[in-house]
Each structure stands twice: as C-alpha cells, then as structure tokens.
Amino acid sequence: GENVEQHPSTLSVQEGDSAVIKCTYSDSASNYFPWYKQELGKRPQLIIDIRSNVGEKKDQRIAVTLNKTAKHFSLHITETQPEDSAVYFCAASSNAGNMLTFGGGTRLMVKP
Amino acid sequence: DVKVTQSSRYLVKRTGEKVFLECVQDMDHENMFWYRQDPGLGLRLIYFSYDVKMKEKGDIPEGYSVSREKKERFSLILESASTNQTSMYLCASTPGRRNEAFFGQGTRLTVV
C-alpha cells in the first residue's frame, strides 16, 4: 500500500518568515495530494490540495508543489502568522482514490 | 455545511469491554473512514467503507471491526478493549474519489 513520510516533525519559525513542510510518497499511482491543518483541540480541515496534472497551486499565502517524478510534494507558507501555528498533515490517495494515507504530521510553531 | 458527528467526545472504558464508537454524516457521502491519531504517528487508517455493508481494512485493523448498515452511519467496534487502544479516534467521510475528507470532532478513548 501507500506510504507517506513527512518532514520535519516539528518546525519553529519567527512571525513573518516562511515555512516549508515536505512529504514523500511511495505509490506512483497516487494522484491526489491534500494538506490538512489541525489546530489544538480541533478536527483536521483541508487547506489546499493538488492533483497530479499540475505542478503547483497557490492560495494566498499557501502554496503546494508536486514533483511526480521524484514522488514528493511540499507545502509552503509565506509571511507566517501566529494563527498558522497548528499540526499540518499531508496525504496521498491510493486504491483508485478512495483511501487517503496520511503523513506523520508537522507541528508548526510561529513565534510572535 | 457538511457535518460529521461522533457520538462521544471522551470515553473511559475498562480492559476487556466491548466498545462502540459511532459516526454519522449528513451529506450522503459514499466513503467513510476511521482513523486513529497518536502523537508522532499521524493519522493511521483502521478501516474504511465505500458503500453500505462494504468495508476494507486499513493499515491497523487488528483488534477492531466496523459496521455500516446505513449510508450515513459508520461504527467502529473494539471487540475487547486493551490499554494499547487508548488513543484519539477520528471519523471522516468523502463524497467520492480524490475529494476533500470531512472529519468528526474526535473521540478520546482511554482504556484502563
């Protein structure tokens, strides 16, 4: 089955700096890559996703890049703010798209 | 607004008890999932279901079973709870392939 690895497990940045979280996946058939944000005590929520027919997608301060050849994708957050502090999960779909496999999560701390 | 509701926020059970975790979604989603969330391990898939009465094992099905008698409801069953099943359990649903997953608020289960 699919295996998703995520790095780093913790990331501390100064407010205003950029943050980058990287994920690799194993199943070359995976073609959907979402990112979820989980604030303390809350449920994970989708913040951005990318499908395999594009290499990059942006939504305001958030961007995701995908390299299908190397089987890795990354989340980029620019101009970080304290409210960006949360655990971020990457995921990849396998089994013809019905099942999401998640990475281990990254705890992002943005220091004011 | 999609709503995924888990029956309990917190649960304390004794070793050996049979435990039922219930999840209901109100958006007629085809797919439903049960994940287990542990620090540093991310979200690990226990079971998922893509239709009524259909189920597929995820990455860590041992010690668990599931039931989906109606499209909107997906139950996770711990046949004989053990202390190593103490964890946060998250239910999720998606409308189809390669689509956003909507999560429940989570059930923190403690087995003593």
Side-chain angles (χ1 to χ4, degrees):
Chain A
E2 176 67 277
N3 181 48
V4 178
E5 297 200 356
Q6 183 172 346
H7 299 280
S9 56
T10 59
L11 180 59
S12 182
V13 300
Q14 208 66 40
E15 182 177 359
D17 287 351
S18 294
V20 181
I21 303 170
K22 298 182 179 181
C23 289
T24 60
Y25 61 98
S26 61
D27 187 349
S28 55
S30 288
N31 54 11
Y32 174 61
F33 307 93
W35 287 87
Y36 287 81
K37 176 183 180 182
Q38 186 178 29
E39 295 176 4
L40 192 63
K42 296 192 176 178
R43 68 192 77 192
Q45 290 194 297
L46 181 75
I47 54 171
I48 195 167
D49 58 12
I50 191 168
R51 288 174 169 78
S52 60
N53 56 343
V54 297
E56 182 174 358
K57 185 176 178 180
K58 285 185 81 169
D59 183 2
Q60 298 182 332
R61 296 186 297 109
I62 293 172
V64 58
T65 57
L66 171 65
N67 183 330
K68 285 219 76 181
T69 304
K71 290 192 280 189
H72 65 71
F73 56 112
S74 301
L75 178 72
H76 304 252
I77 306 174
T78 58
E79 299 169 26
T80 54
Q81 300 166 6
E83 51 266 37
D84 294 329
S85 296
V87 178
Y88 291 81
F89 294 98
C90 63
S93 70
S94 62
N95 285 9
N98 271 336
M99 193 168 80
L100 276 177
T101 301
F102 285 84
T106 297
R107 182 173 296 280
L108 174 64
M109 293 170 283
V110 180
K111 294 182 282 189
Chain B
D1 249 9
V2 175
K3 221 174 189 178
V4 181
T5 305
Q6 294 181 227
S7 53
S8 305
R9 193 72 195 262
Y10 299 95
L11 215 48
V12 180
K13 295 291 181 181
R14 295 196 180 278
T15 301
E17 273 194 82
K18 190 167 186 175
V19 182
F20 293 86
L21 302 184
E22 307 285 346
C23 176
V24 177
Q25 50 94 3
D26 66 357
M27 282 302 289
D28 203 36
H29 284 178
E30 297 169 5
N31 304 319
M32 296 189 75
F33 306 81
W34 275 106
Y35 289 93
R36 172 176 169 160
Q37 182 174 16
D38 299 289
L41 297 177
L43 300 167
R44 292 181 294 167
L45 183 64
I46 304 171
Y47 268 97
F48 75 100
S49 169
Y50 53 89
D51 202 351
V52 174
K53 297 193 186 296
M54 304 304 286
K55 60 186 179 185
E56 293 278 346
K57 291 181 180 179
D59 298 318
I60 51 165
E62 296 78 19
Y64 303 94
S65 62
V66 291
S67 171
R68 194 168 180 199
E69 296 296 318
K70 293 185 177 181
K71 191 174 185 179
E72 66 270 20
R73 187 181 297 271
F74 192 36
S75 303
L76 179 69
I77 304 155
L78 285 67
E79 297 290 342
S80 177
S82 64
T83 55
N84 62 14
Q85 293 178 308
T86 291
S87 187
M88 171 69 83
Y89 290 87
L90 285 164
C91 173
S93 71
T94 69
R97 296 178 181 182
R98 298 185 296 279
N99 276 287
E100 177 179 359
F102 293 87
F103 285 86
Q105 77 277 27
T107 297
R108 183 164 294 283
L109 172 68
T110 303
V111 182
V112 297

